[in-house]
Amino acid sequence: MNIKRAKQEIINTVRAYLAKDEFGAYRIPAVRQRPILLMGPPGIGKTQIMEQIANELDIDLVAYTITHHTRQSALGLPFIEHRSFGGREYAVTEYTMSEILAAVWQAMERSGRKEGILFLDEVNCISETLAPMMLQFLQCKTFGNQRLPEGWIIAAAGNPPEYNKSVREFDVVTLDRVKRIDVKEDYAAWKEYALRRGIHGAILSYLDIRKDHFYKVEAGPEGMQFVTARGWEDLSEILHTYEALGLTADREVVGQYLQMPAIAKDFANYLELYAKYRRVYRVEEILNGNWEALRARELAAAPFDEKLSVLGLVLSRLNESARAAWQLDQLAGLLHESLLRVKAALGQTPAAQILTAELAGLDRQIAAKKEAGSADRQGMQLLNQAARTLEGYLHTLELEAPAEPFDRLKELFSETLEQRAAATDETGSYLANAFAFLDESLPGSQELVIFATELTAGFYTSWYIETFGCEAYFAHNKDLLFADTENALLGEIAAARAAQNGTAGEELTL
């Protein structure tokens, strides 16, 4: 299955494992909660979906790359304990707590949550000395005589042997005790994630044209050559940063991330074209509604690949704008919740003291994410933005000492609402102007169908349209719906005529 389906399957499994009966006991006992084993090629997102799952289910996550562990760190170090048996005292070997299990307990103390996922990456690349301990852990959820806390689920990931020479094949005994999910690469599934993650527009428009270049692993004369989803995502990060610094990413830079020379060269060439289209078509002018008529004529006469690239440029910028509006909407929601708590406690506690507690709570969340090595950059940005805004509110109250502090807080909050309104208005204007430009340059074309479809597929653009509407989008979708209905009816008429002709022919023959 693809990574999107695998993610949903894991969510369903975790929900089932954590479901309780009317007496508060887990419906599926721990001994029957098979560890989840994700098997698939490297770099397709197996590790990243675990954090997404934990966030969506509001449970903890402790992640370990098991190849970094020795038998001692996984099992614990031995020490001598004295015990009495049958009236005699014996020296008995005990073990300190496993580093992995200790991390689980620390996570529970830090967050206050009692349920979570322990994720073990590269589980089939463990050393020979650690293999028996890992088998015991997968079977019994114990390292030595120490058990994984109740409410914690084991998930593991590994690569098939053709991708890693260090892989150890699991035997039937082990495989019969895990819930195995085989994952394969899938561009369509990855693209949904990429649109939300803000992957560079050049990468998405290139892969829309060259889908077969999304994921490849081949043996070449100089060793393994490969292009993975992880490589594209890391390349996106460097492209964004280079652009912010005014630097150029050439073929050599691209080749450091796409380690298949033919694809690296092809994408580097496309990147130059993408930059050229950005200069020629002036996307900002299009979205601001002041494009030159020449631009529309140039696009109308351009080859199909160039049209798709320009669509990619426009969609990328629309996605950025909608993403900014979404971020401000989420920020307003977080601040609104904090201010409601301030209002509720205002009778007994000064506003500044309540704000200080709210700020401390956000800072704890940020610290916990950092300590856990969270890859949720957007979530971190949102928490940081909320914390710094509350910090500004607190500073204003301390500086001004208003007679009615909550009224002043409402005034400060209204500034965030105004920023949100400006961002949503800007996105709406951009959408209307984009449709107007494409209607002028590519009226009734398949490119317009692609454009509307991509807006629907994008997380931020679809959120914006669903929340605030877009007349041009709905008008085009209505036309497409009528066209689809008309085509379906014509097909039914053609089928009916064919059937009638066939019947008439039979009657003439008889």
Side-chain angles (χ1 to χ4, degrees), residues 342-397:
V342 171
K343 184 179 181 181
L346 202 54
Q348 300 97 6
T349 313
Q353 187 175 334
I354 307 167
L355 272 181
T356 301
E358 289 290 319
L359 181 58
L362 287 172
D363 285 337
R364 281 195 298 272
Q365 290 183 56
I366 294 167
K369 279 183 172 290
K370 285 181 178 177
E371 188 175 344
S374 174
D376 180 17
R377 186 175 65 178
Q378 188 174 55
M380 290 281 284
Q381 287 175 344
L382 186 58
L383 288 173
N384 270 305
Q385 199 173 0
R388 302 297 68 84
T389 305
L390 286 184
E391 202 170 51
Y393 290 179
L394 182 59
H395 179 69
T396 300
L397 290 186

Side-chain angles (χ1 to χ4, degrees), residues 33-153:
Q33 292 181 9
R34 289 190 170 201
I36 300 162
L37 176 62
L38 272 178
M39 293 294 291
I44 62 172
K46 299 188 296 296
T47 305
Q48 288 190 337
I49 63 168
M50 301 311 302
E51 184 172 350
Q52 296 170 24
I53 291 166
N55 286 336
E56 289 176 24
L57 296 179
D58 194 26
I59 58 177
D60 264 329
L61 173 70
V62 172
Y64 269 95
T65 300
I66 203 64
T67 51
H68 297 167
H69 281 275
T70 63
R71 184 179 185 276
Q72 288 74 25
S73 63
L75 182 62
L77 295 172
F79 66 92
I80 302 299
E81 183 67 75
H82 294 277
R83 298 188 181 278
S84 295
F85 300 111
R88 296 184 59 184
E89 188 174 277
Y90 296 89
V92 179
T93 301
E94 294 280 356
Y95 288 88
T96 59
M97 179 172 280
S98 158
E99 180 184 323
I100 296 173
L101 293 184
V104 170
W105 286 104
Q106 288 169 357
M108 289 194 293
E109 288 184 1
R110 184 173 59 245
S111 69
R113 292 184 290 236
K114 301 301 180 186
E115 296 174 331
I117 299 171
L118 173 58
F119 178 63
L120 304 174
D121 201 6
E122 299 183 15
V123 71
N124 56 345
C125 293
I126 53 177
S127 65
E128 188 173 347
T129 57
L130 188 54
M133 304 300 106
M134 188 53 58
L135 177 61
Q136 176 196 17
F137 188 61
L138 292 176
Q139 291 178 349
C140 310
K141 296 188 176 181
T142 60
F143 275 131
N145 57 0
Q146 302 159 34
R147 181 175 295 277
L148 185 69
E150 187 180 43
W152 278 75
I153 294 159

